[in-house]
Amino acid sequence: SGPALQEFGFSLTESAGFLGQLDKAGLNSEQMLQSMTRALAGFADAGREPNEALWETISSIERLTQEGKTLEAVDMALYAMGD
């Protein structure tokens, strides 16, 4: 899981902060890391650079949410994370 965060461009400090924020939000950080590892594999299979692909996906999800397209945003997140 740690290597996945490194591949996405997170430093050790950023990784620790990210995991703390997940826990604080009530999310299972272990499951999130597993999902991010699956996303990393999916991005690699598609020939996409991990950090860029992650932020493009996050931006797309935010845009959909702002447009009131919550279901589409959830679908995109689930697809990206391999769930």
Side-chain angles (χ1 to χ4, degrees):
S1 303
L5 290 176
Q6 288 177 329
E7 288 292 323
F8 282 122
F10 288 81
S11 69
L12 182 59
T13 302
E14 290 168 330
S15 295
F18 176 68
L19 295 174
Q21 289 297 317
L22 290 175
D23 288 335
K24 187 176 179 179
L27 299 170
N28 183 320
S29 58
E30 186 175 319
Q31 286 179 340
M32 291 296 295
L33 287 174
Q34 290 171 355
S35 293
M36 290 184 76
T37 300
R38 286 191 298 272
L40 178 63
F43 293 149
D45 288 346
R48 298 178 71 194
E49 192 278 319
N51 189 348
E52 183 179 306
L54 176 65
W55 290 109
E56 285 175 4
T57 302
I58 289 169
S59 294
S60 294
I61 291 168
E62 287 177 340
R63 181 183 45 77
L64 287 169
T65 302
Q66 291 168 351
E67 293 173 357
K69 298 177 180 177
T70 307
L71 291 177
E72 291 93 334
V74 170
D75 285 344
M76 179 176 280
L78 290 173
Y79 179 79
M81 296 300 169
D83 289 340

